[in-house]
Amino acid sequence: MTAVPQPSLDSAAAALARAAQAWQAGAWGEVVAVLTPWADAHQPLPDALLLAAMAHLRQGQTEQALARQRQLVQLQPASAAAWINLASTQAAIGLTEEALASLDQALTLDPMQPAAHFNRGNVLMQRGDAAAACDSYRRAAELAPDRADPRCNLAMALNALGRHDDALAIMRDVVERHPGLAVGWNMLGMTWHRLQADREALEAYQQAVRIDPTLVDAWSNGAQVLARLERRDEALTWARHGVQLNAEHAAALRTLGVVLAGGKTPQLEARQWLDNALGHDPRDAIALSNLVNLDTIYCDWTALDAHLAQLRTLWTEGEIEGLELWRLLSLPIPGDELRAVTEATCARRFGRAASRSVALPNRHRGQPRPARLRIGYFSSDFRQHATSVLMAGMFECHDRARFETVAYCLAQNPPDQSDAMRRRLLAAFDRLQAVGHLPEADLVRLAREQDLHIAVDLNGHTAGGRMGIFVSRVAPIQVHYLAYAGTLGMPGSIDYLVADPVVAPPDARSHFSEKLIQLPDSYQVNDRLRLVDPRVPSRAELGLPADAFVFCCFNNNYKIRRDVFAIWMSVLSERPGSVLWLLADHDETVRRLRLAASGHGIDPNRLVFAERTALPQHLARHAQADLFIDTWPYNAHTTASDALWTGLPVVTCAGQTYASRVGASLLRACGLPQLITHDPRAYRHKLLELSAAPQSLQAIRRQLLDTRLTVPLFDTERFTRHLERAYDMAWERHTQGLPPDHLTVAPLA
């Protein structure tokens, strides 16, 4: 074998010059070819090893690059730069522990090397240790005070810890010192974004793209804020522009998918971009979560099973970024797992902030009850929305002599007084304030200045919620009610969850982070002033056969699960003269449900779809149905009480979670426990039994109509007195200096 020649210094210089020319031309393979003899020499040329490693990296050849860099540290073990370069490659292929060891070696050689501290922070962030990363970034910033990147990354790490105010102070200083730094403005926008100061975030992103119109991250981040501001056309423009700039940018692809998937009318195109993002990063929990959302909306059960399995694998490994928690309530996830995932997600979003928040001083200990307890209701839905439809009568029934009620409207674009529900609520509350435009800190400050005694969150983890304000404490007692049918997973922030013994029996307490307020009838309030249009449309007008038995389910389509639908098709098969009447949420969903019916041997025309309409007209058309059939694990909630209010019998199947026991709670509160089943077989049997017994159904319908003003479910004033008792009981514990505990409200005589 011929030994590798040892060329002269002149030829080495010539080789390096040729390699440099090839580098300038982007000819990475030529760089490697020119330098390989010098890298493989008996005494390798250090510059050849360094440049060859860089060329391998440009070609995606990380293993070859790693080998050359290891050669280099063996050749120059006292070179801090060589150890730093080796660490960068190790981190790039996921060898985080080896990368940290290499950086520690570099810092042993040169503890004043800012790049080593900076890269160490990056590796620690990669490992998920943001607290340790902060220390490294701080040291890098101290050693390189004129550089902005250590401070930008420090802000990133602080944001990961929920320390957004600290990150904000740093980034304001960075952009003041470096006003032309686009990435600085982008990081400032991200910090405002975390603080839910959307308008300030958008201004920062706009400044970033003015400085650098090619900064994809800023376009993508700006799209997210515009979507949250409900400026969806602009959001889509920004998101598409980000993808046009770089069609391989995984976060930009995902953002475009998320924007398209959001809003009231998700677009099918969203799936394409989310799939593309997942192709770039199969562990992208945000993309997966949004795909799960689309799968449920479109009743694409095969895709749902696959995506949910992937997502569950990720969250067992701690990858929980971007979960839309309320979507999980409609999936077959047991209560203990729901609590674990919800708490983990909230700990990531709010946990460090919660540990830093200052508890409100107990100024009321030992003090008598004030003449009027000040109750703050927080919601983005003080308009014609299911929450307000249920609660408007309760707000009107509050005892004004003993309670002062203040509404905090969290909507970004609140309705004006042309909205009839808005006008009704303005009269019901002592004050209704539009605060959706306020940054989180300002909203917390306002609520505290108004000295609330009890804050009641009416959103939970649904669209428009501002859960961060409860982490910061807006009142001594904080309660969640109605909108979110499960634990909010925020121990120390949400003290109480309003429930009843059916939706949250004693043996299910471990499923909840909160203490439970057990109301005596049903947890759900109802407004007995709900109007039903006196004109009942004919079956012909509604597209229903005149003589058919009409099973109906007006739940949102995303609640329909494969196993429930299979039972429905089985029942239709045994009842040839029947149809299934559903809501038409999306054309794609209608198409898929009809296709699924065909798969069960059922004529797809036996599925009749109703368009959405105004509530009085919607309630009126219930008269043309024979039996409302419920879904699980997410039951009918408002839709069930709508049906019962109009006299339409409801059959439910009670499960093991709060959301799956709501139907049972409502039926018990209107005296119809015989319509509650507890397993799929019994549910199917009950549907067949009642569909063959029209006289029994007619008797139940008469019972509902005759008793609806006397049963507890529709007694708004009785419900309000019970909830007021709960407020008094929670307040009494507070004034005694006692922590929150489970409360059971005794029924009125």
Side-chain angles (χ1 to χ4, degrees):
M1 182 177 70
T2 305
V4 176
Q6 299 300 300
S8 68
L9 290 177
D10 287 342
S11 57
L16 287 171
R18 282 180 55 207
Q21 288 177 342
W23 183 277
Q24 292 295 325
W28 319 120
E30 185 179 345
V31 173
V32 171
V34 169
L35 295 177
T36 294
W38 301 93
D40 288 341
H42 179 66
Q43 290 184 333
L45 192 66
D47 287 348
L49 290 170
L50 175 62
L51 197 55
M54 293 168 62
H56 281 304
L57 286 173
R58 289 299 181 101
Q59 296 178 93
Q61 299 169 346
T62 52
E63 290 298 331
Q64 294 93 322
L66 197 62
R68 291 304 188 194
Q69 288 169 337
R70 283 176 172 151
Q71 275 184 272
L72 186 56
V73 296
Q74 289 173 353
L75 185 66
Q76 295 183 325
S79 169
W83 287 104
I84 291 170
N85 289 333
L86 173 60
S88 295
T89 304
Q90 289 168 327
I93 60 175
L95 300 175
T96 53
E97 297 308 315
E98 290 89 337
L100 287 173
S102 296
L103 290 167
D104 288 343
Q105 181 62 31
L107 289 168
T108 299
L109 294 166
D110 184 1
M112 305 297 285
Q113 173 56 258
H117 290 285
F118 179 76
N119 288 4
R120 192 171 191 278
N122 291 341
V123 177
L124 288 165
M125 285 295 292
Q126 185 179 340
R127 193 172 70 169
D129 192 350
C134 285
D135 294 334
S136 292
Y137 290 138
R138 282 195 189 93
R139 186 62 179 140
E142 291 167 0
L143 293 169
D146 294 332
R147 291 191 62 87
D149 45 348
R151 305 188 76 210
C152 288
N153 282 28
L154 174 58
M156 175 184 66
L158 289 167
N159 277 329
L161 294 170
R163 295 172 56 183
H164 308 311
D165 290 334
D166 293 340
L168 183 63
I170 289 170
M171 289 315 305
R172 279 176 152 170
D173 184 67
V174 166
V175 298
E176 186 176 338
R177 293 188 188 190
H178 306 275
L181 183 67
V183 293
W185 285 100
N186 182 58
M187 181 56 69
L188 176 61
M190 291 171 68
T191 306
W192 281 122
H193 196 155
R194 294 290 190 95
L195 288 164
Q196 295 199 345
D198 292 332
R199 287 167 176 79
E200 290 82 354
L202 181 58
E203 289 173 3
Y205 294 140
Q206 288 169 332
Q207 181 64 10
V209 298
R210 277 193 289 268
I211 295 167
D212 181 1
T214 68
L215 186 58
V216 177
D217 285 339
W219 287 103
S220 179
N221 292 336
Q224 295 174 44
V225 172
L226 285 162
R228 201 156 72 180
L229 289 169
E230 300 176 10
R231 294 162 58 177
R232 294 209 165 265
D233 290 343
E234 294 171 83
L236 194 54
T237 299
W238 277 58
R240 289 196 188 281
H241 190 71
V243 170
Q244 288 166 3
L245 288 170
N246 185 352
E248 299 301 313
H249 194 293
L253 294 169
R254 179 223 295 151
T255 294
L256 178 54
V258 170
V259 171
L260 287 164
K264 295 180 179 179
T265 54
Q267 299 180 38
L268 275 172
E269 183 193 351
R271 178 165 287 172
Q272 165 196 338
W273 298 107
L274 293 169
D275 282 335
N276 285 349
L278 208 57
H280 284 76
D281 180 6
R283 296 179 63 82
D284 186 337
I286 298 175
L288 266 175
S289 180
N290 277 272
L291 283 167
V292 166
N293 295 346
L294 290 176
D295 297 340
T296 60
I297 289 168
Y298 295 135
C299 294
D300 187 348
W301 301 311
T302 300
L304 174 61
D305 290 344
H307 289 143
L308 180 58
Q310 290 175 266
L311 195 57
R312 287 175 109 163
T313 297
L314 286 182
W315 75 49
T316 58
E317 298 171 0
E319 296 289 338
I320 51 175
E321 186 72 22
L323 286 183
E324 278 200 58
L325 290 169
W326 73 273
R327 288 287 187 195
L328 303 184
L329 302 179
S330 67
L331 302 176
I333 301 171
D336 54 352
E337 186 179 357
L338 275 175
R339 176 177 177 175
V341 173
T342 305
E343 286 188 353
T345 302
C346 292
R348 181 163 184 147
R349 292 178 187 169
F350 311 117
R352 295 303 179 95
S355 67
R356 287 164 49 82
S357 64
V358 179
L360 294 178
N362 190 344
R363 298 181 290 102
H364 311 98
R365 186 168 185 169
Q367 298 296 313
R369 182 194 188 280
R372 299 175 79 201
L373 279 181
R374 189 172 298 110
I375 313 296
Y377 288 102
F378 293 77
S379 177
S380 62
D381 299 318
F382 289 130
R383 56 186 170 86
Q384 190 62 39
H385 180 275
T387 297
S388 293
V389 166
L390 291 174
M391 295 191 71
M394 188 202 85
F395 296 140
E396 293 166 340
C397 283
H398 264 310
D399 184 345
R400 294 295 187 90
R402 301 184 67 248
F403 295 91
E404 177 187 351
T405 58
V406 183
Y408 296 83
C409 177
L410 304 177
Q412 290 283 352
N413 299 298
D416 57 30
Q417 292 195 41
S418 63
D419 183 292
M421 179 60 75
R422 185 75 165 194
R423 293 196 303 273
R424 185 178 172 189
L425 296 176
L426 281 167
F429 291 111
D430 289 282
R431 295 195 307 281
L432 193 158
Q433 305 166 108
V435 296
H437 63 287
L438 292 178
E440 205 162 87
D442 292 347
L443 178 49
V444 170
R445 190 177 305 112
L446 173 68
R448 287 188 176 189
E449 287 171 356
Q450 295 180 349
D451 196 22
L452 297 178
H453 298 119
I454 299 175
V456 184
D457 164 52
L458 299 176
N459 271 101
H461 303 301
T462 63
R466 300 283 294 271
M467 299 313 298
I469 66 173
F470 300 103
V471 171
S472 299
R473 279 270 161 195
V474 294
I477 298 171
Q478 300 189 146
V479 179
H480 175 73
Y481 177 55
L482 193 63
Y484 194 79
T487 183
L488 274 74
M490 299 172 65
S493 297
I494 300 298
D495 304 309
Y496 293 101
L497 178 70
V498 178
D500 64 51
V502 176
V503 293
D507 62 1
R509 284 181 176 177
S510 62
H511 298 169
F512 301 93
S513 306
E514 307 82 3
K515 299 302 181 184
L516 300 177
I517 292 174
Q518 298 284 29
L519 298 182
D521 303 315
S522 174
Y523 83 99
Q524 190 190 88
V525 66
N526 276 276
D527 177 19
R528 61 170 54 189
L529 297 183
R530 240 183 303 198
L531 296 177
V532 181
D533 193 315
R535 180 187 175 275
V536 176
S538 68
R539 282 195 167 186
E541 291 175 276
L542 297 168
L544 297 168
D547 300 324
F549 186 95
V550 178
F551 296 100
C552 98
C553 180
F554 288 145
N555 289 354
N556 288 308
N557 297 160
Y558 73 80
K559 295 184 180 183
I560 302 173
R561 295 280 298 143
R562 187 203 308 264
D563 50 350
V564 177
F565 190 80
I567 292 173
W568 292 351
M569 296 303 98
S570 170
V571 170
L572 289 186
S573 179
E574 293 208 27
R575 294 287 179 265
S578 66
V579 296
L580 176 59
W581 195 17
L582 303 171
L583 271 184
D585 274 347
H586 305 283
D587 291 344
E588 174 66 7
T589 312
V590 170
R591 185 187 73 81
R592 284 189 171 277
L593 289 173
R594 285 197 162 132
L595 188 64
S598 295
H600 285 277
I602 299 298
D603 180 353
N605 291 319
R606 291 178 66 189
L607 272 60
V608 180
F609 288 90
E611 298 297 328
R612 292 183 182 270
T613 188
L615 183 60
Q617 289 72 46
H618 172 63
L619 294 176
R621 65 186 174 185
H622 281 70
Q624 297 295 5
D626 294 296
L627 183 63
F628 188 106
I629 54 179
D630 203 0
T631 53
W632 72 86
Y634 204 146
N635 290 167
H637 293 191
T638 308
T639 47
S641 54
D642 283 346
L644 295 169
W645 177 248
T646 64
L648 179 61
V650 175
V651 173
T652 192
C653 183
Q656 299 303 310
T657 60
Y658 189 126
S660 68
R661 292 190 283 249
V662 169
S665 171
L666 304 183
L667 287 166
R668 286 191 181 278
C670 63
L672 291 171
Q674 70 270 29
L675 299 184
I676 303 168
T677 66
H678 296 278
D679 62 71
R681 180 177 294 182
Y683 172 83
R684 179 180 181 278
H685 178 77
K686 183 63 71 173
L687 301 191
L688 291 171
E689 173 192 316
L690 290 173
S691 59
Q695 291 182 341
S696 295
L697 277 179
Q698 198 58 37
I700 295 170
R701 189 184 287 272
R702 281 196 304 271
Q703 177 184 335
L704 280 168
L705 292 173
D706 290 346
T707 64
R708 68 177 186 170
L709 295 182
T710 58
V711 295
L713 183 62
F714 297 115
D715 191 336
T716 312
E717 185 167 349
R718 174 184 171 88
F719 178 92
T720 308
R721 299 289 88 79
H722 285 152
L723 188 62
E724 288 174 348
R725 281 188 175 183
Y727 292 159
D728 280 334
M729 292 167 70
W731 186 253
E732 184 178 0
R733 286 192 65 82
H734 175 68
T735 59
Q736 292 173 352
L738 297 173
D741 200 358
H742 299 295
L743 303 176
T744 299
V745 178
L748 292 172

